[in-house]
């Protein structure tokens, strides 16, 4: 069964849900999942709507045009439409640590992701074997300081060649240029190894140890030009005690990082994430 | 603003959401929250729909009749309709331990509950002072084995007199008769001090200690004639170690019990709970 | 059974545990609990040692002297000795919100605390009834900006009169003077309504909402002159989503605050907390 | 630095800690970690003691003899002594699902385990490639019903040949014979995909769905002849809702299973687990 998923946000008013569900049912679409939320403080409407295309009488090319007409009834209406057989193509950027890479590739193999990781690209050669074990192409692009711009140009060509929809930074450890980030709004997901906004920047586990916190965390967020400040998609935490050295925190952190990153990527690929300003709405 | 909340379940088919949201918007109701779910395995449809009555052009007496007509289009359609100003009236049954009682009464005082606790009834006199501190009537009905039937008859009259919609067993420690339970389907909430279905029955913390589990729990459920087997509304857990004696588990358990029971009562009063067979759907 | 609890820290070297356990057993003390930890990075030794005084052949007055002699064998040796029948006397400072106050007083009533709350003092009169319900004296000391110094002078006299060992700020909402804090090192516990070091300062739930975090927290810490920067004793977190308004976060936060504060106070009263620099070691 | 780890249990009485720590320090061992606990209800003493062998003046062969002499002072004294350079040799038994296998092998690669996985043995050929990717030998021993006994005989020879200390059942899905289990007391760790003792036996996620629980779990335990009844080492849980199908529970369960199993294996290899009757003491 092919399904359509529609993410919508607009200024809140009467009749939006009725209009949209009516639209689906008039053309014989069966609604499978609807999650709607009105933010009364901000007067904004948010919705995720999934319907079956089985008996739907509009072709998938006709749907956007119809939605655009419908949109005129509402203010500041934005939508994102996708079909379940249009799987997003994902590239992973990584460096040397394998835990997030293994986690994503294993989930792909187990069929947990509704998208396709098609490329792994790294600034070190170490993870070639892991990537090839999972049957994927690995490209090594060194990114030393003095050739960062050239490296990024290569990456761009590669992403284009592989028609990449989503870039996942699986502990990439390199800062991307503002232009690179700006060209892919809400299309780059990073894992930060702290519970943001605590411990922004480098060596967060050392910072956590020094501050004596009792809980550490990890944060998956969309990358913007503003380091560690992009919209948060998912977070999780683990308890630590005085017995945990920085190395123990790093170890516990690895477990958090891979889980949090994979959950964020999965939510994105399931089209469950809607960005509004610097925040996300993540539908269940 | 007065709102209407509609819980619906029926056999799944095309057009249910559209029909219902159309109905609301035709009469100028603004949908504030809609959470819908189709269980494909069971072919069942579930929905919670909240709309503003501010400009709604049907009187609240006319809504059920209109819904009954609408229901004829669908199979096995059940609904539960309520209005935000029709606050449910709650009676708490308890014995001697105060922690769940304090928790519920404090939340009432803080305005966390969308209902009104109007009566506390106990088989021991100990909690009179707590109840009266919060300005509520306390009724002591002894319930020793030989006068259980008489006690239950008194309770029934009391619940009738106070027009009680929901009975909350806040560590009541007495078994209610099957007839009493059957007369109040999904209208009695109990807190069981274990992670059901583990450790059914008496002394669950002793059972947990003997089995050497690493996590203990608490479970809030609707009471049915079948002890500890009713539909589960909410559960939570806490870690324990070999250092925890049974007394420590009891102490940690108290924290779980009061939180889990209060969350379940809150969800029920917000009309977020729909019972289907022996399971619940708890909408967010 | 009366027990002695000894907290020790010193520079790490061979034989500290043996020396100390030997000391206890030579005088016929039975060790009930020993938790020891060496921080290899910092080369520091930490220990908590509990023994029964039942057959102990030194009087409790003789123990400190004996320990001081023993201490000379080691470098930078600090210890804290207490006996289980020397219950610490606790004053709670609060303002208007009752949830933390109820939680602490209820735990005292249930026998969960190994200390005695003997006084409640507030800058508003609202919580008098709650306090008196639990049979404790309530003192109202207004603390408006222009009479803060006078208020603090009154508080000091009160703490002296009641021979207070520990001050608990149960959502006190007032900043104490540096002198007041400095006079009570590791003897004032505060609850901050965020997951420190995230969202330092005022209105942390508003900050959390604005940043779009998926988890909120609460932090109990010793108060130092440096606002929200003192040694952290305990933290906990709860999940939030886009559906949670600031009010929902405040409500969920209340549950965190009272649990985290009570756990920190309980650990302190059980002499489980050893402060080292700006961090705490909390023994199990 | 080579360290010795001593696990001890005996009937509780005065002087055990002093005797043991004295013993270590007399021979110039520096105690690095000591965690001791007396179970007053059971009158049992438990301890884990780690010391540096650097300047220790007894050879490692002499230590057990010395401990046996020391043991005569106490009742029912059992001890387990090991040295950090005597790494345990681990065999993994698995079937077809790779998630637990990947997790263990990746942790080995990252240096998280204080032992060595040296063999993977499966009743299906599917996981050969995974095993060989990590550079380990893979042995396929079919175990269909009619040749179960022959298969087990082969396994025994294999375990002997590889001098295996610990067998880990990483979703092995086969029941081992009572004789096989009895021959390896507390030397076989299994992961059960439920929060034991809830949902013993087959298809626990189906059972969990049918019962409508709000939380699912996983349990790592030592295998005894009594199915799913052995001493529990570690457990963890995850939230589920009505939106989760059995497949979703299976997916969430995989995350629990691999984490819980790996944590249990790690604790065992660090000699942190002491079994007492049907329970474990897991030292931090």
């Amino acid at each position: 069964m092919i399904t359509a998923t529609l993410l919508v946000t607009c200024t809140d008013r009467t009749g939006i849900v009725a209009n949209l569900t009516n639209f689906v049912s008039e053309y014989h679409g069966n609604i499978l999942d609807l999650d709607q939320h009105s933010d009364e403080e901000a007067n904004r409407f948010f919705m995720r709507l999934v319907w079956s295309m089985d008996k739907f009488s509009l072709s998938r090319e006709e749907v956007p045009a119809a939605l655009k007409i419908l949109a005129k009834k509402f203010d500041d209406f934005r939508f994102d439409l996708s079909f379940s057989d249009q799987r997003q193509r994902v590239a992973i950027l990584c460096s040397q640590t394998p835990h997030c890479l293994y986690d994503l590739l294993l989930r792909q193999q187990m069929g947990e992701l509704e998208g396709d990781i098609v490329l792994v690209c790294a600034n070190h050669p170490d993870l070639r074997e892991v990537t090839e074990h999972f049957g994927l192409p690995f490209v090594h692009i060194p990114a030393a300081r003095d050739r960062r711009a050239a490296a990024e140009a290569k990456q761009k060509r590669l992403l284009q060649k592989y028609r990449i929809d989503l870039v996942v930074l699986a502990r990439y450890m390199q800062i991307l240029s503002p232009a690179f980030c700006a060209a892919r709004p809400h299309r780059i997901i990073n894992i930060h190894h702290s519970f943001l906004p605590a411990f922004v920047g480098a060596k967060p586990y050392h910072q956590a140890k020094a501050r004596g916190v009792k809980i550490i965390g990890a944060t998956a967020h969309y990358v913007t030009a503003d380091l560690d400040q992009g919209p948060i998609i998912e977070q999780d935490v683990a308890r630590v005690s005085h017995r945990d050295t920085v190395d123990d925190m790093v170890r516990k952190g690895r477990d958090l990082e891979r889980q949090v990153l994979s959950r964020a990527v999965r939510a994105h690929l399931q089209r469950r994430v809607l960005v509004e300003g610097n925040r996300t709405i993540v539908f269940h």
Side-chain angles (χ1 to χ4, degrees), chain A:
Chain A
M1 176 175 63
I2 294 169
T3 60
T5 299
L6 179 67
L7 293 171
V8 164
T9 177
C10 62
T11 303
D12 199 17
R13 44 148 282 193
T14 306
I16 312 172
V17 180
N19 262 276
L20 288 163
T21 57
N22 236 339
F23 162 75
V24 171
S25 105
E26 260 171 22
Y27 297 101
H28 312 295
N30 188 27
I31 293 175
L32 299 172
D33 204 273
L34 191 159
D35 195 355
Q36 177 271 337
H37 174 67
S38 289
D39 184 334
E40 292 175 50
E41 290 167 5
N43 197 33
R44 291 293 294 174
F45 171 92
F46 306 101
M47 189 174 74
R48 182 176 181 266
L49 181 58
V50 182
W51 72 90
S52 165
M53 292 295 286
D54 277 5
K55 299 176 183 164
F56 203 60
S57 52
L58 289 183
S59 75
R60 63 174 72 187
E61 289 73 29
E62 291 167 320
V63 185
L67 283 169
K68 271 172 201 156
I69 290 163
L70 218 154
K72 298 201 171 165
K73 295 188 187 177
F74 306 102
D75 289 333
D76 197 14
F77 189 100
R78 285 189 291 126
F79 71 88
D80 177 76
L81 175 72
S82 57
F83 299 96
S84 57
D85 58 349
Q86 294 170 334
R87 292 169 69 88
Q88 291 176 74
R89 296 170 64 82
V90 182
I92 297 176
L93 295 198
C94 51
S95 286
Q96 292 172 294
T97 45
H99 59 288
C100 288
L101 181 62
Y102 266 116
D103 203 82
L104 285 161
L105 295 180
L106 179 56
R107 285 178 201 276
Q108 163 139 300
Q109 194 187 88
M110 306 291 280
E112 292 186 13
L113 304 180
E114 295 176 19
D116 298 304
I117 302 167
V118 295
L119 172 69
V120 175
C121 174
N123 60 334
H124 290 278
D126 314 49
L127 298 176
R128 176 180 300 278
E129 212 187 319
V130 178
T131 307
E132 290 176 355
H133 166 67
F134 285 94
L136 290 180
F138 177 88
V139 181
H140 173 211
I141 302 180
R145 283 256 164 108
D146 53 342
R147 47 173 159 171
R148 195 71 59 83
E152 214 171 86
K154 266 194 205 173
Q155 285 169 340
K156 274 186 208 169
R157 285 195 298 274
L158 206 59
L159 299 182
Q160 217 158 16
K161 180 183 157 197
Y162 279 86
R163 291 171 290 118
I164 296 302
D165 300 301
L166 176 71
V167 175
V168 176
L169 309 183
R171 302 299 314 277
Y172 179 52
M173 312 303 278
Q174 300 287 328
I175 293 169
L176 301 169
S177 76
F180 189 97
C181 298
R184 289 159 191 83
H186 317 140
R187 291 290 177 269
I188 312 175
I189 297 177
N190 183 44
I191 180 73
H192 184 76
H193 43 320
S194 90
F195 182 79
L196 289 176
F199 309 130
V200 168
K203 293 195 173 279
Y205 297 124
H206 288 80
Q207 292 183 56
K209 181 75 185 177
R211 183 61 187 90
V213 291
K214 302 305 183 190
I215 288 174
I216 57 169
T219 305
H221 63 95
Y222 287 118
V223 175
T224 58
D226 203 354
L227 187 67
D228 299 343
Q229 297 295 325
I232 293 170
I233 307 168
E234 173 65 346
Q235 303 187 290
D236 211 344
V237 296
R239 287 212 165 256
V240 292
S241 82
H242 61 278
R243 288 184 180 268
D244 289 298
T245 61
V246 169
D247 282 352
D248 290 322
M249 289 187 181
V250 168
R251 176 177 52 76
K252 290 185 174 183
R254 279 199 293 265
D255 280 357
L256 289 175
E257 292 157 21
R258 59 182 182 163
Q259 296 244 12
V260 168
L261 179 60
S262 290
R263 288 206 292 259
V265 170
R266 188 168 187 271
H268 178 95
L269 294 176
Q270 289 186 324
R271 330 262 180 176
R272 295 188 175 278
V273 189
L274 202 162
V275 180
E276 172 76 3
N278 203 42
R279 287 182 284 172
T280 63
I281 284 89
V282 183
F283 294 102
H284 301 282

